[in-house]
Amino acid sequence: MEMNGKRVFIRVDFNVPLDGGKVSDDTRMRETLPTLELAIAKGARLVLASHLGRPKGTPNPKYSLKPVAEHLSELLGRRVEFASDCVGAEAEAKSKALANGGVLLLENVRYHPEEEKNDEDFSRRLAALCDGLFVCDAFGSAHRAHASVVGITRFVQKSAAGLLMERELAYLGKAISNPERPFVAILGGAKVSDKIEVVENLMKIADAMLIGGGMAYTFLKAQGLPTGASMVELDKIDLAKRLISEARARNFRLVLPVDHVVAAAFKADAEKKTASIADTPETWMGLDIGPETAARFADEISSAKTIVWNGPMGVFEMPAFAQGTLAVARAVAKATAAGATSIVGGGDSVAAVHQAGVADQISHISTGGGASLEFLAGAKLPGVEALTDR
Ligand code: 3PG
Ligand code: MG
């Protein structure tokens, strides 16, 4: 894209955690730097937009991108201008005052209710801040059909994917369309209901699926196994039964926990012990996969050539119940060193690979939570579909 001297509207996902007015995890910001640096090197005038949190259509200082602008300035080693509203006179004046290579960050687009409504007039006002060029690098927001992601593309001449967006689509796209086999999918997290489409789609594509975390209990219960006081989604048992029998009929390896760490209460310091699933005490709840399960999972992972992981194996934020998740993180890293392509997405599993100290040994850590899940579920992402000059 020729962008010398042109104002380019770049949608980024700077929805980062803040702590005491400072950015506490800037991963998403650092991941988009190559795109910004390329645009700067091409002499573009950068108009950046993002959402932060869910301010629900009203300005709220708690969700201001001001601290993000300051942090971005440190990361880029250059001045970053800030406009206190993402549309209107101030933003227009500041965008027009940019020199080549200049950077302007607009205030939170979700201060306006029109953003989430993908409002046409609001989209046009956003587009007025650039010279017909739109770049979307906000993979994490690509599942949202919002004005700054989708609507704006109708009012610019060219809309293209940024480098981070391309990288995300390349890794995730290859996994679901042309994976090196065996392809092992690892799914965890609290609820089956959050991941039904992902389970169904990946069962069609992968060679094996390892299920841990709270969502495993609905599957165990569906097999008539004791689950004690563990979390079970009763209204999803029929679905779990259907998936299990589908897997059996096709010889698909759907691997469930055989043992777990059970606790007397949902508390970090609760009394706990390891038990086989068959011996689950009636009033205790499973909060992590057990060592035998971790070893079986590690074994499956060790022979994989493609690995996709989303969701922790237990209540990972409590150290007493983090071992299973950390073991999986180490197994994924080891398989990667042996030649597998590994893709990790979702806040908790990403945190786990960091905590296990293996983040730099994973092939691709996705910046998208919801977006990567929807993609793996086989959905078309509106923010990707809207780009006409990929
Ligand atoms: C995310 O953090 O998953 C993205 O930034 C999207 O945020 P949202 O779920 O509030 O749309
Ligand atoms: Mg989210």
Side-chain angles (χ1 to χ4, degrees):
M1 200 186 261
E2 173 59 48
M3 42 178 78
N4 188 32
K6 299 256 171 60
R7 289 174 304 162
V8 182
F9 192 105
I10 307 182
R11 176 54 157 101
V12 289
D13 191 332
F14 284 172
N15 183 24
V16 292
L18 299 176
D19 188 11
K22 292 247 178 268
V23 175
S24 56
D25 178 351
D26 65 357
T27 309
R28 281 183 165 171
M29 297 179 71
R30 280 185 288 104
E31 293 292 332
T32 202
L33 288 179
T35 301
L36 306 186
E37 275 156 1
L38 180 62
I40 291 168
K42 287 183 167 202
R45 306 171 178 204
L46 286 65
V47 178
L48 310 182
S50 178
H51 72 285
L52 180 90
R54 293 176 176 171
K56 302 201 165 86
T58 30
N60 179 342
K62 206 175 128 197
Y63 299 110
S64 174
L65 281 161
K66 190 92 216 286
V68 174
E70 282 156 22
H71 191 74
L72 180 64
S73 166
E74 284 168 33
L75 290 176
L76 284 172
R78 59 173 62 222
R79 202 184 152 84
V80 171
E81 304 295 335
F82 185 74
S84 61
D85 192 358
C86 66
V87 285
E90 183 202 353
E92 274 184 45
K94 287 190 168 165
S95 74
K96 285 182 178 146
L98 288 172
N100 290 6
V103 182
L104 166 67
L105 177 63
L106 306 171
E107 183 56 285
N108 198 337
V109 287
R110 288 193 188 168
Y111 279 6
H112 294 265
E114 295 90 339
E115 163 67 5
E116 294 185 54
K117 292 186 185 129
N118 201 19
D119 179 80
E120 182 164 319
D121 184 56
F122 181 72
S123 301
R124 197 181 284 116
R125 293 175 75 201
L126 290 172
L129 300 175
C130 71
D131 298 311
L133 302 178
F134 174 68
V135 171
C136 188
D137 215 23
F139 176 74
S141 312
H143 58 317
R144 305 292 185 213
H146 294 174
S148 66
V149 179
V150 171
I152 185 172
T153 60
R154 285 182 285 150
F155 303 103
V156 294
Q157 270 117 47
K158 285 195 169 159
S159 45
L163 300 174
L164 170 61
M165 179 73 109
E166 273 185 355
R167 188 173 137 83
E168 294 270 12
L169 296 174
Y171 271 102
L172 291 160
K174 180 157 193 313
I176 62 168
S177 61
N178 184 25
E180 256 195 86
R181 298 186 180 280
F183 174 3
V184 174
I186 313 162
L187 295 177
K191 295 202 218 132
V192 189
S193 47
D194 289 341
K195 295 197 175 136
I196 296 169
E197 288 84 5
V198 182
V199 173
E200 289 185 319
N201 195 46
L202 290 184
M203 269 181 65
K204 288 183 217 142
I205 303 167
D207 300 295
M209 182 175 294
L210 320 179
I211 297 186
M215 66 185 277
Y217 292 99
T218 301
F219 287 89
L220 295 169
K221 182 101 185 166
Q223 290 181 310
L225 290 162
T227 52
S230 310
M231 148 171 327
V232 170
E233 285 174 274
L234 291 172
D235 61 331
K236 293 292 174 286
I237 290 194
D238 284 342
L239 170 86
K241 279 188 183 157
R242 175 168 66 72
L243 293 171
I244 290 166
S245 66
E246 253 177 55
R248 276 210 192 107
R250 294 173 29 218
N251 262 329
F252 178 84
R253 289 204 306 288
L254 184 64
V255 189
L256 294 166
V258 289
D259 65 342
H260 53 171
V261 180
V262 292
F266 189 84
K267 274 203 302 213
D269 58 356
E271 193 190 340
K272 58 162 188 157
K273 60 186 175 195
T274 299
S276 71
I277 299 294
D279 297 327
T280 304
E282 223 172 287
T283 57
W284 292 49
M285 60 189 78
L287 297 183
D288 192 10
I289 55 171
E292 197 185 328
T293 304
R296 283 197 189 189
F297 283 9
D299 189 48
E300 286 283 348
I301 292 165
S302 72
S303 59
K305 280 279 167 284
T306 301
I307 302 161
V308 166
W309 179 20
N310 189 301
M313 299 291 106
V315 187
F316 159 80
E317 33 325 338
M318 300 180 187
F321 309 107
Q323 285 317 311
T325 303
L326 292 175
V328 165
R330 287 189 295 268
V332 173
K334 203 167 156 198
T336 312
T341 299
S342 53
I343 301 165
V344 178
D348 290 318
S349 15
V350 171
V353 297
H354 282 285
Q355 194 172 316
V358 298
D360 58 346
Q361 296 164 52
I362 304 298
S363 313
H364 180 66
I365 297 182
S366 179
T367 54
S372 66
L373 270 184
E374 290 200 19
F375 192 89
L376 293 172
K380 293 214 180 297
L381 303 181
V384 176
E385 297 306 304
L387 303 175
T388 48
D389 308 273
R390 273 189 246 169

